[in-house]
Amino acid sequence: MAKPDQNHVDDYSFSDTKGVFPLIVLEEVESTSDALKHLCRAGDARHGLALAARSQTRGRGRHGREWFSLPGNIMMSVALQKAELEFHAQLSLVFGMAVCRYLRGLMQSPEQLVVKWPNDLLWQGRKAGGILLEAEGDFLVVGIGINLLESPAVMKDEAVSLQSSFMASAVAAAHYAPLRQAILEAYGIWGKHGFSPFHETWAEFAFRVGSEVRVRQGDDVLTGCYDGINADGALCLKTDKDRLCIAAGEVVLLEGNG
Ligand code: BTN
């Protein structure tokens, strides 16, 4: 793994009302989340520390998938004080909404940017970003990947970049500090009030509530009507027989639905 301190090109500091959070920007790293986890293990992290990179050589997505990290895109991870594992699923939604809200403020047709449960950011139905939550010792590491300028050619029609609708600076580094701030604020609200404020606003962000979807859970695939989320952030699915709430899984779009 690249050693952050040996590959350190910039070190911005960002002040907010609660203090100064360092923001490390690396030229190239295998994965910003791995590099930040390395700092957590070494005892060099604290709440709010963020690490971004201009390029990643082994970016990771959920389920061990490769994350295509193209130049000009946003690749950043933020260390937060740990939350229990049982809350990670709802935090994925909390951070997805926080990132979505921030980006919407910078876009034309902002309502076309939505969150697909549990962690995908979709622009006009195609993947434009994602959130990866991982625990490391006393920290929760939030990895944020956004296709700001480029979308991977190998993903063809599945992925998209935000460039065409972006009204603000399309320089990734301009968004590191405000995105980190959005994450910290959302985490603060969640810490104080729990999931309920996010449950209330989910409908503003959610992709395809009311549609037929398939939800993959391990080897099982369930089909039904997406009936929103419950108070814990689990996806609710109305099937022929039942209404199920699924805490962890992945929504797969049905043919002709994406
Ligand atoms: C997903 O949609 O599966 C989550 C993608 C998360 C990608 C980001 S890019 C910054 C951070 N570093 C990584 O290796 N992954 C996350």
Side-chain angles (χ1 to χ4, degrees):
M1 168 188 313
K3 292 226 174 72
D5 50 348
Q6 292 176 0
N7 192 15
H8 188 199
V9 292
D10 276 310
D11 190 353
Y12 304 120
S13 284
F14 171 70
S15 296
D16 78 349
T17 50
K18 295 192 190 97
V20 176
F21 298 113
L23 169 49
I24 300 167
V25 183
L26 305 179
E27 189 58 43
E28 183 175 282
V29 71
E30 288 185 355
S31 151
T32 58
S33 288
D34 287 345
L36 191 52
K37 286 163 79 177
H38 177 81
L39 293 180
C40 294
R41 283 195 297 276
D44 291 334
R46 63 189 169 94
H47 180 69
L49 175 66
L51 191 152
R54 297 193 174 102
S55 122
Q56 286 188 139
T57 53
R58 291 179 70 161
R60 291 181 294 106
R62 287 174 78 230
H63 307 299
R65 291 189 196 117
E66 181 175 0
W67 180 259
F68 298 95
S69 309
L70 300 174
N73 288 347
I74 295 172
M75 286 84 77
M76 180 172 82
S77 301
V78 183
L80 301 175
Q81 276 153 15
K82 184 172 145 175
E84 297 307 320
L85 200 59
E86 62 182 294
F87 297 120
H88 285 199
Q90 58 181 250
L91 282 169
S92 212
L93 309 185
V94 166
F95 298 135
M97 284 188 268
V99 172
C100 187
R101 178 180 276 120
Y102 169 72
L103 293 171
R104 277 182 172 187
L106 309 173
M107 297 178 76
Q108 291 165 352
S109 314
E111 68 290 344
Q112 294 191 26
L113 186 70
V114 293
V115 184
K116 178 160 84 73
W117 186 93
N119 78 322
D120 291 334
L121 283 172
L122 301 191
W123 168 250
Q124 297 183 334
R126 293 195 279 163
K127 181 144 175 162
I131 310 279
L132 179 69
L133 285 195
E134 295 172 298
E136 183 63 57
D138 289 338
F139 292 94
L140 175 63
V141 172
V142 185
I144 305 156
I146 299 165
N147 297 338
L148 184 63
L149 287 189
E150 301 281 346
S151 72
V154 285
M155 304 275 295
K156 293 189 179 138
D157 295 339
E158 289 169 49
V160 69
S161 90
L162 300 179
Q163 190 183 23
S164 62
S165 62
F166 223 63
M167 298 189 298
S169 167
V171 175
H175 304 289
Y176 297 152
L179 272 171
R180 185 256 303 272
Q181 180 68 1
I183 294 290
L184 284 168
E185 280 175 11
Y187 198 49
I189 293 169
W190 177 84
K192 207 166 167 189
H193 303 287
F195 189 64
S196 84
F198 300 96
H199 185 215
E200 281 164 23
T201 53
W202 175 248
E204 283 173 39
F205 296 96
F207 180 67
R208 294 274 163 81
V209 172
S211 305
E212 285 287 304
V213 293
R214 261 196 292 246
V215 182
R216 195 181 290 136
Q217 244 197 332
D219 291 338
D220 294 336
V221 176
L222 302 161
T223 304
C225 177
Y226 178 10
D227 196 26
I229 56 172
N230 71 9
D232 296 322
L235 179 143
C236 301
L237 197 66
K238 273 200 238 163
T239 66
D240 292 344
K241 299 179 196 140
D242 237 336
R243 183 174 187 267
L244 310 167
C245 290
I246 299 156
E250 184 171 25
V251 172
V252 188
L253 300 177
L254 291 175
E255 291 288 311
N257 214 8

